[in-house]
Amino acid sequence: MNRRFALAFPWFLLALVVGIIVFDQSRVRDVIELPANAAVSPAGDVPVGSVRDLVCGMNVRPRTAYPLRIGSRTFYFCSTRCRDRFLEDPARWMRAPQARRGGHTMQGLPTWMYQASVAIVLLLSFGIFEFVSWRAGKRAPVVPAIAARKPLTAHPGVRRLLRRPGFQTSARLMMVAIFLFIIYAGLFGNQNPTMNIAPLLTWTIWWAGLIFLILYFGKAWCYVCPWDALATWLERLSLKSPRRSGLGLRLPWPRRMRNIWFAVILFVLLTWVELGMGITSIPRATAWVALIILGLAIVSALVFDRKSFCRYGCLVGRVSGLYALFSSLELRAEDEAVCRSCKTHDCFKGNDRGDGCPTFEFPRVMKESTYCILCTECLKTCPHDNIAIRARPWGADLAAMGKPRTDEAFLAIILLSMTGFHGLTMTPAWHAWNEALQRTLGIAPGLSFGLLMLGMLLLPIAFFALIARISARWS
């Protein structure tokens, strides 16, 4: 019963979330009618072709906005949330038609609630887990290992499909087409973010959806990644030719850089330009960020061996690798005894049926999904059919983790820090702190933003160091 529940729980949760979304959307009406004598006033001066959202201050296009009809007047909002907030107290927004500039803020969230939430998350993430691990000692891990589960690849049709050379290529071609469409829309389309699909597809659908994709389907994004696809095809001058042919120099990745610090730095920089420069609402900047990552992938493919960038340098791959520890899908060797008896190690070296592992993983000893990109090359090359893809409970890798790595630990802390920082920038207190710091130090807005971001970055690191020291003394 426990095994079945552990496997079914993620899908039950997904169905519940989808059901809530469908139910919520069914209650939304396109136009809400109010009495003609409602005490509200129209938006102030706005650019031609757009109107001001009275709640958040965003300029929106009437064709894509959410309308509210009041008598003979119609007002427009960027979302149903802003429209609903207006309906709660129309007089409040009537008294402040000069809606605040600078994007969305969580106006209904008190600052104390945000601060308390951050403290609770830090305590749960570090304090309680450290205490539990100290109490557990050498007892069995919290997440049970489930050995008796039938692999998804046990179905002959699934295994044949994944082994077919053209299957991954076809999937990647579709993703590359979408990627190039986003680039074109970002560079040459309407630069009004409400009229350009590039920011929506990139920052709202893909970046947020990536987390849920990994939780349910592992590193499926890496399987269809357009950056890696274009870089690989360019290096090989072909869609299907093996790794042994191509233009690449195939130099080893520098030994001192065989960690993920480069990816960590890229992630912090991306967060800074995302929040500090507001590139999520700038279509052209969104396209350039995608092109920069593509350039890094191409340079790595032409210079270094295998897919070194995927393992060491890709910020998306490293963030998804962290989330993959919680995924409900894994690729593993089925029988370690079969691996030990194998003399050719084709899964690592490659053969005429496929390449060796592009991220230098050895399935025989692989216990985590952090660096596996689910390319299925080992599934193609294994002469013993000893590689399988199977379902598992969430967080199973946490029970099998080996010696912790400093760079991976810092990425986890930084990811937590930047998530909290992202929420902080949407609170009313953020603008007050930012302006106060500018006045006190006499510095530019960009510098004050960077200093506050640095403080938010260092706070969880200091807290974790404190908890770790206390835990070490207790043990």
Side-chain angles (χ1 to χ4, degrees), residues 90-150:
R92 171 190 174 188
W93 306 110
M94 178 194 67
R95 290 192 300 268
Q98 67 285 1
R100 180 170 57 253
R101 296 179 181 269
H104 288 277
T105 58
M106 295 185 290
Q107 300 166 23
L109 181 66
T111 301
W112 68 265
M113 186 179 295
Y114 170 80
Q115 295 168 343
S117 301
V118 171
I120 291 173
V121 169
L122 289 174
L123 182 62
L124 291 177
S125 299
F126 301 133
I128 292 181
F129 290 157
E130 281 287 338
F131 179 74
V132 170
S133 63
W134 169 69
R135 291 289 302 272
K138 297 183 179 180
R139 290 183 295 178
V142 177
V143 181
I146 297 181
R149 51 188 183 273
K150 187 176 181 180

Side-chain angles (χ1 to χ4, degrees), residues 392-415:
R392 65 179 189 181
W394 271 347
D397 277 357
L398 298 178
M401 288 185 66
K403 183 180 179 180
R405 290 180 42 157
T406 303
D407 51 352
E408 295 175 355
F410 267 90
L411 176 60
I413 299 174
I414 289 172
L415 184 61

Side-chain angles (χ1 to χ4, degrees), residues 150-160:
K150 187 176 181 180
L152 303 179
T153 47
H155 191 286
V158 174
R159 183 173 287 270
R160 283 197 303 269

